[in-house]
């Protein structure tokens, strides 16, 4: 009986994962030319970002692991008008193909043209994909783990395992230095890292020689903000959320900068309960398996960070 139940359980888990959907499509301009490396952002109706991806050299994009619900899609690219696809309904287990979406070339009136510099939400570079967080709606009331769920090419499963382009064993760096944490300790650290402290996230799918050989599966380098103003300053922030269980955190940061050095530090405390509820019903070889799995995990932790930069 045990030998029979094991494959049934595995089949149930695969069925549960398959309930999430995938959205695919492609972008082209009015002449049919593919729009390369455009930002494709999936939002909930209240404009909360669900996932960010980019188009490839053929203009194609894919957004995986999307839960059933109502969304809208926005695409942006330099030299093109923003395109919005409203009222996007996703059904559980559906592979939704949006076909080819058209983006119009932006018209510029030279008499009134104003040049301004803003960072794109996602930048594609030769050795990495950069997910810019600072100055976006992502940096309000979120945390590091939630941002990774939205980052392009990154998948965080129900057990908070992180993969890049479906490859596990990803290494986490902070400001270019390896983070010596794993498992629940890594999860607690990321959940206690406020998005307001993050400048950008570099997703390095093919690490170069400067990184350790263990990072062949991919590296995620979280780059934190550094204050550029002279003098002393600090901040205190707190977040609280209530679902089936409550969770929250409190964080304090301080910074002192002059012409020769920049000293900074942060202290944070988090506490909460993670709750997960799964239902399985499967039939195989005359056996009916009706299973309910309830997972509850208490967590609390304190983290701190101090450092000094010297300007030669």
């Amino acid at each position: 009986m045990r030998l029979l139940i094991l494959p049934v359980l595995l089949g149930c888990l695969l069925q549960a994962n398959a309930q999430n959907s995938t959205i695919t499509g492609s972008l082209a301009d009015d002449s049919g030319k593919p729009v390369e490396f455009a930002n494709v952002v999936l939002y909930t109706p209240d404009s909360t970002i669900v996932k960010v991806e980019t188009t490839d050299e053929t203009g194609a994009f894919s957004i995986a692991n999307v839960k059933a619900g109502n969304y809208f899609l926005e695409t942006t690219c330099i030299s093109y008008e923003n395109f919005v696809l409203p009222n996007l309904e996703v059904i559980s287990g559906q592979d939704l193909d949006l076909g080819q979406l058209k983006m119009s070339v932006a018209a510029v009136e030279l008499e009134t043209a104003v040049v301004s510099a803003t960072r794109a939400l996602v930048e594609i570079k030769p050795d990495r994909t950069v997910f810019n967080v600072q100055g976006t709606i992502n940096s309000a009331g979120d945390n590091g783990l939630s941002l990774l769920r939205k980052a392009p090419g990154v998948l965080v499963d129900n057990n908070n395992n992180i993969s890049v382009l479906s490859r596990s064993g990803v290494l986490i760096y902070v400001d270019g230095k390896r983070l010596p944490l794993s498992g629940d300790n890594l999860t607690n650290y990321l959940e206690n890292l406020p998005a307001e402290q993050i400048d950008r996230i570099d997703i390095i799918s093919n690490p170069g020689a400067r990184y350790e050989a263990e990072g062949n599966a991919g590296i995620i380098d979280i780059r934190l903000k550094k204050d550029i103003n002279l003098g002393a300053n600090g901040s205190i922030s707190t977040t609280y959320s209530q679902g089936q269980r409550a969770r929250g955190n409190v964080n304090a940061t301080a910074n002192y900068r002059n012409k020769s050095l920049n000293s900074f530090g942060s202290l944070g405390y988090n506490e909460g309960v993670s709750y997960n509820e799964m239902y399985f019903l499967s039939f195989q070889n005359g056996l009916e398996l009706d299973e309910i799995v309830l997972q509850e995990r208490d967590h609390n932790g304190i983290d701190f960070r101090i450092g000094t930069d010297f300007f030669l």
Side-chain angles (χ1 to χ4, degrees):
M1 182 65 69
R2 291 180 180 177
L3 294 178
L4 181 59
I5 292 177
L6 180 58
V8 173
L9 287 174
L10 293 176
C12 291
L13 291 174
L14 292 175
Q15 292 174 12
N17 289 334
Q19 296 307 305
N20 289 339
S21 306
T22 300
I23 301 174
T24 58
S26 63
L27 299 181
D29 60 18
D30 296 328
S31 64
K33 179 182 177 181
V35 180
E36 303 177 3
F37 308 122
N39 289 185
V40 181
V41 188
L42 186 68
Y43 294 92
T44 59
D46 62 357
S47 297
T48 300
I49 292 180
V50 176
K51 189 66 175 177
V52 182
E53 291 292 352
T54 59
T55 58
D56 59 18
E57 294 85 349
T58 66
F61 65 87
S62 177
I63 304 176
N65 204 32
V66 180
K67 296 181 180 180
N70 295 317
Y71 305 93
F72 71 90
L73 190 79
E74 182 177 20
T75 67
T76 59
C77 188
I78 296 175
S79 303
Y80 291 90
E81 298 284 353
N82 292 1
F83 174 83
V84 178
L85 183 64
N87 303 323
L88 190 61
E89 183 179 0
V90 177
I91 301 173
S92 180
Q94 176 188 28
D95 289 331
L96 180 60
D97 187 358
L98 301 179
Q100 189 178 79
L101 306 177
K102 295 289 187 179
M103 295 189 71
S104 301
V105 177
V108 178
E109 297 181 8
L110 296 180
E111 294 82 359
T112 60
V114 177
V115 178
S116 59
T118 57
R119 294 196 300 179
L121 187 60
V122 178
E123 300 177 42
I124 304 297
K125 297 187 176 183
D127 62 336
R128 69 193 61 202
T129 300
V130 180
F131 181 34
N132 291 309
V133 177
Q134 185 178 13
T136 71
I137 194 172
N138 295 285
S139 60
D142 226 330
N143 60 55
L145 189 64
S146 296
L147 289 180
L148 289 180
R149 295 183 188 277
K150 302 174 184 180
V154 178
L155 177 64
V156 182
D157 64 19
N158 291 333
N159 295 318
N160 295 326
N161 298 311
I162 302 171
S163 60
V164 172
L165 300 179
S166 301
R167 294 181 300 200
S168 58
V170 176
L171 300 182
I172 305 296
Y173 280 61
V174 175
D175 286 338
K177 297 178 179 62
R178 172 80 179 275
L179 190 65
L181 298 174
S182 61
D184 290 343
N185 291 328
L186 176 61
T187 298
N188 291 339
Y189 173 81
L190 294 174
E191 288 181 335
N192 197 42
L193 181 62
E196 290 87 350
Q197 293 184 15
I198 299 175
D199 176 62
R200 70 179 193 272
I201 298 175
D202 293 350
I203 300 105
I204 308 169
S205 56
N206 295 299
R210 60 169 294 193
Y211 293 99
E212 299 179 19
E214 292 87 351
N216 290 333
I219 287 175
I220 296 176
D221 193 356
I222 301 173
R223 295 285 176 166
L224 304 180
K225 296 178 183 177
K226 294 182 180 179
D227 202 294
I228 61 174
N229 298 315
L230 297 179
N233 59 79
S235 66
I236 298 177
S237 63
T238 182
T239 62
Y240 175 84
S241 63
Q242 176 69 56
Q244 289 282 356
R245 302 292 185 268
R247 64 175 63 185
N249 61 61
V250 180
N251 295 274
T253 64
N255 196 94
Y256 175 76
R257 185 185 184 100
N258 59 30
K259 294 182 178 181
S260 301
L261 59 85
N262 179 52
S263 296
F264 51 88
S266 64
L267 177 65
Y269 174 76
N270 75 93
E271 183 175 348
V273 180
S274 298
Y275 179 80
N276 192 20
E277 186 172 323
M278 297 181 291
Y279 295 88
F280 301 106
L281 179 60
S282 180
F283 302 89
Q284 184 173 341
N285 299 330
L287 174 67
E288 176 182 339
L289 179 64
D290 188 357
E291 182 183 13
I292 302 175
V293 179
L294 303 178
Q295 297 177 340
E296 190 170 286
R297 181 175 65 89
D298 296 326
H299 64 85
N300 61 78
I302 298 174
D303 70 88
F304 66 92
R305 171 176 174 262
I306 57 174
T308 299
D309 295 331
F310 295 95
F311 309 115
L312 300 179

